[in-house]
Amino acid sequence: MMVTWKEFWKKVRRHWMRLRLQPIRVFCFHQVSDEFEPEGMWECDWTQTEVFKRNILALKRKYTFVPLEEAYRHISNDRIRFKKYAALTADDGWASLKNILPWLAQVPVTFFLNPLYMDGVHYQSRETEKFLTRDEVAALVSQYEPFITIASHGWLHKDCHGMVEEEFLANVEWAETSLQSMHGKIPFYAFTFGRRTVRQMEILRQKSLIPVLMDGGVNYNDEKCIHRELLDGALF
């Protein structure tokens, strides 16, 4: 298939512009504590406190951390970006997040929450699991304002890819209704496990929610969604 000169130069220009953009890295972590508690934690998404601190300090030497909303504005609008930005997010609302907030100080972080667990229901029905309560989230947002924002991770932590449309809609709408009145709420929705369908992405946009993935992708200029990478475990 022949490529016209117009198409050729368009590709060259797009490639040149891409080279001039610094990618924005968006990180996600889950549980952080001094010791792993097998009865109430998941080893796959747990990070030892000193390892987490080492990761953040190393990243701060390379990037300027900004709130997720600001990162999204850059991703959506920038044509040239010479500065290196990063954004930090935490999924599920585990109670252990309280351990590292005083240390993070002025690093912005977005909590992606499942309201069902804030209200006392246990994920996987293990009573030893400890999630932030609704009152604790409200207190933390107030205490660390404006550095903590909250957003939706669905009503419950279930793989969205396996949901029929009606179930996915209910999962989104129940979570939005539950979180909407909470201070610090921003219009983002993080897919559990990062898996989704094209139709689910469309539904979020129809509801003015910005899709957030977990796919290790690089954020250059993509006004449609946010790509994240895991910060669980040691990076450095």
Side-chain angles (χ1 to χ4, degrees):
M1 182 179 179
M2 294 292 294
V3 177
T4 66
W5 279 107
K6 183 178 180 180
E7 291 171 335
F8 171 77
W9 286 113
K10 188 175 181 180
K11 288 183 178 180
V12 170
R13 182 179 182 277
R14 186 163 56 242
H15 180 65
W16 177 77
M17 291 299 292
R18 190 177 181 88
L19 289 176
R20 298 187 69 183
L21 281 175
Q22 295 285 351
I24 295 180
R25 297 180 72 179
V26 181
F27 297 99
C28 171
F29 66 98
H30 293 77
Q31 305 177 73
V32 180
S33 64
D34 293 340
E35 301 290 338
F36 176 68
E37 300 174 13
E39 294 302 317
M41 295 181 173
W42 301 94
E43 194 167 9
C44 60
D45 61 15
W46 169 79
T47 306
Q48 202 272 340
T49 304
E50 292 306 314
V51 172
F52 179 81
K53 290 180 177 180
R54 186 168 69 242
N55 285 339
I56 296 296
L57 289 174
L59 291 171
K60 287 177 72 173
R61 288 192 287 268
K62 298 176 64 176
Y63 300 94
T64 297
F65 277 97
V66 295
L68 187 62
E69 287 182 298
E70 182 178 337
Y72 182 72
R73 286 196 294 271
H74 283 298
I75 294 167
S76 302
N77 300 318
D78 288 357
R79 290 297 172 263
I80 297 177
R81 184 188 311 127
F82 295 108
K83 197 168 184 178
K84 291 185 176 181
Y85 295 110
L88 191 63
T89 68
D91 280 6
D92 308 341
W94 294 96
S96 63
L97 296 175
K98 292 182 292 186
N99 300 333
I100 47 87
L101 288 179
W103 178 83
L104 278 177
Q106 296 185 350
V107 176
V109 57
T110 296
F111 290 171
F112 284 102
L113 302 170
N114 303 104
L116 182 63
Y117 310 134
M118 290 196 305
D119 294 331
V121 176
H122 298 283
Y123 180 57
Q124 300 293 339
S125 300
R126 298 197 307 183
E127 293 186 3
T128 50
E129 295 167 345
K130 298 175 183 177
F131 292 94
L132 294 169
T133 67
R134 191 175 295 272
D135 287 343
E136 286 176 325
V137 171
L140 290 171
V141 171
S142 177
Q143 180 180 355
Y144 293 99
E145 189 177 15
F147 297 103
I148 295 181
T149 50
I150 62 173
S152 176
H153 201 31
W155 175 248
L156 76 168
H157 199 284
K158 184 177 179 180
D159 192 341
C160 295
H161 191 267
M163 294 182 181
V164 297
E165 185 169 324
E166 292 76 12
E167 184 183 8
F168 178 72
L169 268 171
N171 199 45
V172 171
E173 291 174 348
W174 292 348
E176 282 300 299
T177 300
S178 181
L179 295 173
Q180 200 60 55
S181 62
M182 296 188 69
H183 189 56
K185 170 71 168 61
I186 57 177
F188 291 76
Y189 182 98
F191 283 98
T192 49
F193 308 105
R195 294 189 284 265
R196 74 283 179 191
T197 66
V198 173
R199 175 58 184 152
Q200 289 169 352
M201 297 279 279
E202 292 173 351
I203 288 171
L204 292 186
R205 296 186 191 112
Q206 290 168 2
K207 292 186 171 295
S208 300
L209 292 171
I210 299 164
V212 178
L213 313 181
M214 180 67 78
D215 58 358
V218 178
N219 298 285
Y220 280 96
N221 275 49
D222 185 350
E223 74 285 359
K224 297 179 180 179
C225 60
I226 294 281
H227 304 280
R228 296 188 297 170
E229 52 190 297
L230 280 172
L231 190 57
D232 299 326
L235 288 185
F236 302 96

